[in-house]
Amino acid sequence: MRDFTPLPPEKPTAKKGRPPAAAARSKAPRRAAAGSEKPEGSEEAEDEEFLVEEYESDGEVGVRREAGKRPHRGGGSSSESEADGEEEEEEEVTPKVFFTSRTHSQLSQFVGELKKTEFGRQLRTVCLGSRKNLCINKDVLKLGSANRINERCLELQKSKKSSKTKVEGDNRKVCQSKTSCGCPMIRKRGLQKEFKSEVSEQGALDIEDLAQLGKKIGTCPYYGARDTVRTADLVVLPYQSLLLKSARESLGLNLKNSVVIIDEAHNLADSLTSMYNSKITSSQLNAILSHLEAYLNRFQSVLGAGNRRYIQTLTVLTRSFLRVLTSNQDDACTMTSMTINQFLFSLDIDNINIVKLCQYVKESNIIHKVSGYANILNINQDGVNHLSHQQQYDEGSSIASFQTLADFLRSLLNCNDNGRIIVARKKFSGQPEDAYLKFVMLCAEKIFLEITCDAYAVILAGGTLQPIEETRLRLFPNLPPSDIKFFTCNHIVPPESILPIAVTRGPSGKAFDFSYSSRSSHTMIEELGRFLCNVVTTVPEGVVMFFASYEYERCVYDAWAASGMISKISKKKHVFREPKNSVDVEMTLNKYKEAIQSCSKSSQDTGVTGALLLAVVGGKISEGINFSDGMGRCVVMVGLPYPSPSDVELTETIKYIENISKPVLVGGDNSSSSKYDDECKLQPGFDILRKCNKVGREYYENLCMKAVNQSIGRAIRHANDYAAMLLVDSRYAHTSSNRSSSSPTDKLPQWIKTRLACAQNYGEDSGGSSFTY
């Protein structure tokens, strides 16, 4: 992204390859002072590669920041700078429509529907995606993870931009050949212009179409798509690109007088806050500390005063963070929560200017310098690199650890009451998990305000937006009711195409109770197995069964495997399980689909009529995956997937929601704000829920039922689809006994709730509901 790695600051006498001889001469005695035993030539090269440039934080910072703001358009040699300048002058089309959704697959579905309409031909549409989805450089793409691909792409840009800065600074064009160290897919601006022209001519293209077009032309579709934003009428992009302020600025998105459509907005507040969360583990901190110390030991004598001071400050902070994670006096108290100010004061680091430190990390390129030197330390004397290129960019690498530290430091710049610092210490008994520090953002309304203030209108769209009051409270509490319009309609699927049933008892008459205290009992698991055997015998094609967690799914599966229940089920359905690793999900889904399709052709020969997929609420399969037609003729929801009340982040969120609702409830008394700021002692989750007003409990119940609605809604995907939805728990049959509590089924979508049937005994007529496969 354009400003993700700002241009290195320009120092006319300290850059490698500067023409003035004085610059080269001035460095020679400083290198000699380092006292290295290496040959002079090799030491000189090493210093040039890893030595961070001179940095002045006060007088020159304004000048340096202006220099760093020169836009980078993702390619082109320095000789084409004039063409770049001309393109920058392109008039921006306004107003625009920005359409955003959670995943790339959802965006592709939207573009596919758009193509079927006149708008697909009339509107100039551009679809923005991640580097992982759009990169066509095979050497970069083979790195695998998004993190590795991003880092490698930025590294290539960094080396090329350095050359371009040098050319402009000296007003000469003799260094054009230096750009060869950049990515070959973005060297030629002519091909980027051709790509842009093709996009405008072909109309709406999804991410896969853009990638294919980029391969055909031989230019980068990631940067090519970004270049078309200014002239587009409709911009289709993922959540992160629109909702993160830093991403909007990097992409150059201007929301002024535009219409913003946010799809899948049922969990928008939580999605917003999670984007601003940051977490760093003790193992990452230990790695950072060792790398900083090694870098200081090697280069301290040649570092300028500014660099030395900031690197030492980073070292002090890292030691402080490690100290708070290891200073556990009480083995029982491993998790604490505190405000940002409390955290800074408790570590005695409140006197450190974190604003300037974050600015230094952003502008100085220190992360790449220290990480590069750390990787060199892994090369032995015979020149063999023990770190593969892939390992250098994975989540445990030096550069990833430094980026995590930078994110956490930026989190400390938030307002004191906007979030909480979670300190998770390691028990002396030695649990395998890493100790960690985590900043949890709680204030979604301030983040969302940046969007609502700029945009002409904001549309939140989704199938499970109700209850709307919680959304209003968390995202725009101060917006006048007259400015909020709510619209809802019936489902396109006719009522007779769905059969929702609350299943309260199993085949042997036992009441289903999948509350946390009862769900793991042998009796309950066996009764669920007998019930499932009946379902797979009756239902053709695909059955998807959702569990509350991966742990519970594993517990049930292991018990069924031991008792022979899986063998019985396998006589009717091929059994698949949702993998924890998201990379393997697509392969599992393909096998599940193939099994269903093969069974429809040969079920009479084998007796197997389809497939069963055991999935997890909140996993990859429960959101964004379509189980249309035979992929999901029946969806089984086991229990009510309430989140664990012992989750520290959840309890802090509930306390925050309770706090912001009080002024609304009692007529504007804000005295509770300071009380909340000071009360950071962790209480048992159930105690917090019991003390909650209605708003806190509503939020907790909504989390559960929104997850249920998302999961069971996977089966109905078009007008001619049909499916059964089985809600397996006696609590689904409970009615609201008083105004302070609600029945879970009250929060089902209207199109499901009106058809919901409930039988008191297994197998009896459910109030006239019937369904024929």
Side-chain angles (χ1 to χ4, degrees):
M1 295 191 297
R2 186 191 305 154
D3 297 326
F4 192 82
T5 301
L7 299 180
E10 298 183 24
K11 293 293 289 183
T13 60
K15 290 200 90 157
K16 180 181 176 183
R18 282 288 186 194
R25 285 196 301 270
S26 65
K27 279 196 168 186
R30 293 175 64 193
R31 287 194 197 100
S36 172
E37 297 178 1
K38 293 185 179 182
E40 185 177 346
S42 65
E43 180 188 349
E44 182 173 333
E46 187 171 307
D47 278 358
E48 285 289 353
E49 185 176 358
F50 299 116
L51 188 61
V52 69
E53 293 177 11
E54 295 291 345
Y55 189 87
E56 298 292 339
S57 63
D58 293 320
E60 297 182 17
V61 68
V63 178
R64 293 165 58 83
R65 192 182 294 177
E66 284 298 313
K69 281 189 174 180
R70 181 170 51 81
H72 167 56
R73 297 184 59 80
S77 65
S78 54
S79 63
E80 296 165 349
S81 58
E82 291 182 12
D84 285 352
E86 290 171 9
E87 289 187 32
E88 285 291 341
E89 297 303 318
E90 273 186 317
E91 185 177 352
E92 179 155 11
V93 172
T94 57
K96 292 185 191 297
V97 175
F98 291 91
F99 180 93
T100 183
S101 194
R102 288 171 54 120
T103 65
H104 286 90
S105 62
Q106 289 165 343
L107 296 177
S108 293
Q109 289 170 27
F110 170 75
V111 173
E113 295 299 318
L114 181 71
K115 288 178 180 178
K116 300 175 184 177
T117 70
E118 284 296 317
F119 297 111
R121 292 174 287 278
Q122 294 173 355
L123 297 180
R124 287 167 293 186
T125 304
V126 60
C127 193
L128 300 181
S130 66
R131 286 181 174 87
K132 184 176 182 180
N133 289 86
L134 288 173
C135 178
I136 59 170
N137 185 329
K138 292 180 180 179
D139 291 335
V140 176
L141 200 57
K142 70 183 180 182
L143 295 174
S145 78
N147 191 54
R148 296 166 187 152
I149 291 169
N150 286 339
E151 288 294 343
R152 182 58 183 152
C153 178
L154 292 171
E155 186 180 84
L156 290 172
Q157 297 309 301
K158 174 175 63 72
S159 59
K160 193 178 71 56
K161 283 190 288 184
S162 176
S163 170
K164 188 172 180 181
T165 303
K166 178 170 56 182
V167 171
E168 293 181 353
D170 297 329
N171 225 3
R172 305 196 305 149
K173 297 186 178 181
V174 295
C175 298
Q176 181 177 343
S177 60
K178 294 289 185 180
T179 58
S180 61
C181 62
C183 178
M185 298 300 167
I186 54 178
R187 284 183 200 154
K188 297 180 180 178
R189 288 298 300 170
L191 294 181
Q192 289 272 295
K193 291 177 184 176
E194 182 183 345
F195 179 89
K196 187 175 177 180
S197 175
E198 285 285 327
V199 169
S200 63
E201 289 177 9
Q202 293 190 26
L205 299 177
D206 63 19
I207 293 168
E208 290 75 17
D209 296 332
L210 290 172
Q212 289 301 320
L213 180 62
K215 289 176 183 176
K216 176 185 172 184
I217 296 175
T219 190
C220 176
Y222 173 77
Y223 284 108
R226 282 177 47 177
D227 277 352
T228 64
V229 168
R230 288 184 63 85
T231 56
D233 299 304
L234 171 63
V235 181
V236 182
L237 68 174
Y239 268 16
Q240 295 275 72
S241 300
L242 180 81
L243 301 178
L244 269 176
K245 184 178 181 180
S246 58
R248 289 197 303 274
E249 291 174 347
S250 297
L251 292 167
L253 302 183
N254 180 14
L255 303 186
K256 287 286 185 184
N257 299 319
S258 294
V259 176
V260 176
I261 304 174
I262 303 175
D263 192 23
E264 297 290 327
H266 55 282
N267 281 332
L268 178 58
D270 290 327
S271 298
L272 272 173
T273 53
S274 65
M275 290 179 193
Y276 288 82
N277 290 353
S278 60
K279 176 182 175 182
I280 188 162
T281 65
S282 57
S283 58
Q284 288 175 317
L285 287 168
N286 278 313
I288 290 168
L289 182 60
S290 64
H291 295 156
L292 284 172
E293 289 175 340
Y295 187 85
L296 264 179
N297 288 338
R298 175 66 184 87
F299 298 105
Q300 186 162 12
S301 59
V302 292
L303 285 171
N307 281 314
R308 189 164 57 247
R309 181 173 66 252
Y310 280 115
I311 295 172
Q312 287 170 341
T313 303
L314 283 170
T315 306
V316 168
L317 280 176
T318 306
R319 286 201 188 102
S320 298
F321 294 160
L322 277 169
R323 190 168 60 249
V324 76
L325 289 176
T326 55
S327 61
N328 190 9
Q329 304 297 324
D330 181 4
D331 189 46
C333 183
T334 59
M335 194 88 70
T336 55
S337 167
M338 57 185 79
T339 65
I340 296 173
N341 287 346
Q342 288 171 333
F343 178 74
L344 296 175
F345 283 118
S346 67
L347 269 63
D348 199 24
I349 55 175
D350 55 291
N351 59 333
I352 292 177
N353 190 330
I354 297 178
V355 174
K356 284 190 175 182
L357 185 63
C358 289
Q359 185 177 301
Y360 171 75
V361 171
K362 180 180 178 181
E363 295 180 352
S364 67
N365 205 28
I366 186 65
I367 288 177
H368 289 275
K369 296 295 185 182
V370 177
S371 300
Y373 184 67
N375 290 335
I376 287 296
L377 295 180
N378 287 283
I379 300 178
N380 63 12
Q381 291 182 348
D382 60 8
V384 178
N385 190 347
H386 295 289
L387 279 179
S388 68
H389 203 85
Q390 192 165 345
Q391 287 174 315
Q392 292 178 26
Y393 294 93
D394 67 13
E395 282 68 19
S397 71
S398 172
I399 197 163
S401 296
F402 271 100
Q403 291 285 11
T404 303
L405 176 63
D407 290 341
F408 186 75
L409 290 175
R410 279 193 294 271
S411 298
L412 299 179
L413 302 179
N414 281 287
C415 294
N416 189 51
D417 56 350
N418 282 5
R420 288 289 178 271
I421 304 290
I422 308 297
V423 181
R425 300 177 180 86
K426 195 165 185 176
K427 287 185 178 180
F428 289 131
S429 52
Q431 84 266 31
E433 294 87 2
D434 243 352
Y436 64 84
L437 297 171
K438 184 171 185 179
F439 172 77
V440 179
M441 174 64 82
L442 301 173
C443 181
E445 65 268 24
K446 291 183 181 177
I447 303 170
F448 198 60
L449 188 64
E450 297 170 353
I451 296 170
T452 55
C453 283
D454 281 351
Y456 173 78
V458 178
I459 299 172
L460 307 185
T464 53
L465 274 179
Q466 290 176 299
I468 199 67
E469 177 57 24
E470 180 209 316
T471 302
R472 187 198 68 78
L473 177 66
R474 295 191 65 195
L475 291 179
F476 31 84
N478 299 318
L479 205 62
S482 59
D483 287 354
I484 305 171
K485 311 295 181 186
F486 183 73
F487 171 78
T488 185
C489 59
N490 291 325
H491 204 287
I492 192 172
V493 173
E496 59 270 17
S497 293
I498 62 169
L499 180 64
I501 301 176
V503 182
T504 60
R505 295 181 181 275
S508 64
K510 291 184 174 66
F512 279 130
D513 178 11
F514 292 99
S515 59
Y516 186 78
S517 58
S518 305
R519 67 184 186 183
S520 298
S521 70
H522 177 75
T523 305
M524 199 57 54
I525 292 175
E526 285 299 300
E527 188 76 353
L528 180 64
R530 285 189 286 270
F531 167 71
L532 185 59
C533 281
N534 290 346
V535 171
V536 299
T537 302
T538 307
V539 178
E541 301 180 288
V543 177
V544 184
M545 182 176 241
F546 284 101
F547 294 89
S549 66
Y550 286 102
E551 290 72 25
Y552 186 54
E553 185 273 338
R554 185 177 65 248
C555 171
V556 171
Y557 183 86
D558 291 345
W560 285 349
S563 66
M565 195 71 72
I566 290 292
S567 298
K568 292 181 183 178
I569 294 170
S570 298
K571 292 178 181 178
K572 288 293 181 182
K573 303 285 183 189
H574 296 291
V575 180
F576 297 90
R577 303 170 67 190
E578 177 177 355
K580 264 192 171 182
N581 187 351
S582 60
V583 177
D584 300 326
V585 168
E586 188 172 350
M587 182 176 65
T588 302
L589 286 172
N590 287 335
K591 290 181 178 178
Y592 171 73
K593 186 176 182 179
E594 290 167 5
I596 293 170
Q597 291 172 342
S598 63
C599 288
S600 63
K601 300 174 183 176
S602 58
S603 59
Q604 293 180 347
D605 302 331
T606 63
V608 180
T609 61
L612 167 70
L613 177 59
L614 305 179
V616 176
V617 175
K620 188 80 172 177
I621 287 174
S622 68
E623 293 207 29
I625 304 296
N626 292 341
F627 291 101
S628 60
D629 302 319
M631 288 274 284
R633 288 302 179 207
C634 179
V635 178
V636 183
M637 172 60 63
V638 180
L640 285 157
Y642 285 106
S644 171
S646 60
D647 185 301
V648 180
E649 296 177 38
L650 173 64
T651 56
E652 289 296 329
T653 302
I654 290 174
K655 284 160 62 179
Y656 181 81
I657 291 172
E658 280 281 293
N659 183 68
I660 62 174
S661 69
K662 285 177 183 176
V664 178
L665 294 174
V666 300
D669 180 11
N670 293 314
S671 60
S672 57
S673 299
S674 59
K675 183 179 178 183
Y676 174 64
D677 288 347
D678 295 333
E679 287 184 355
C680 292
K681 293 181 180 178
L682 288 186
Q683 306 169 45
F686 284 110
D687 289 349
I688 290 174
L689 287 173
R690 276 191 287 266
K691 294 175 183 177
C692 274
N693 294 321
K694 185 178 179 180
V695 177
R697 284 196 301 272
E698 279 281 318
Y699 170 72
Y700 185 66
E701 292 170 5
N702 291 344
L703 282 176
C704 169
M705 288 311 297
K706 283 183 179 181
V708 170
N709 295 338
Q710 279 295 304
S711 300
I712 63 178
R714 297 297 97 203
I716 302 294
R717 308 311 296 173
H718 59 82
N720 299 318
D721 213 350
Y722 62 91
M725 304 163 184
L726 307 180
L727 308 176
V728 186
D729 198 299
S730 57
R731 290 173 290 177
Y732 283 111
H734 291 172
T735 56
S736 303
S737 56
N738 56 66
R739 295 184 65 185
S740 64
S741 64
S742 58
S743 168
T745 55
D746 290 343
K747 299 180 186 297
L748 288 170
Q750 192 68 23
W751 61 281
I752 294 178
K753 186 164 56 175
T754 53
R755 287 281 293 169
L756 182 68
C758 178
Q760 294 302 315
N761 297 303
Y762 186 81
E764 77 177 19
D765 185 9
S766 303
S769 297
S770 61
F771 203 68
T772 303
Y773 283 104

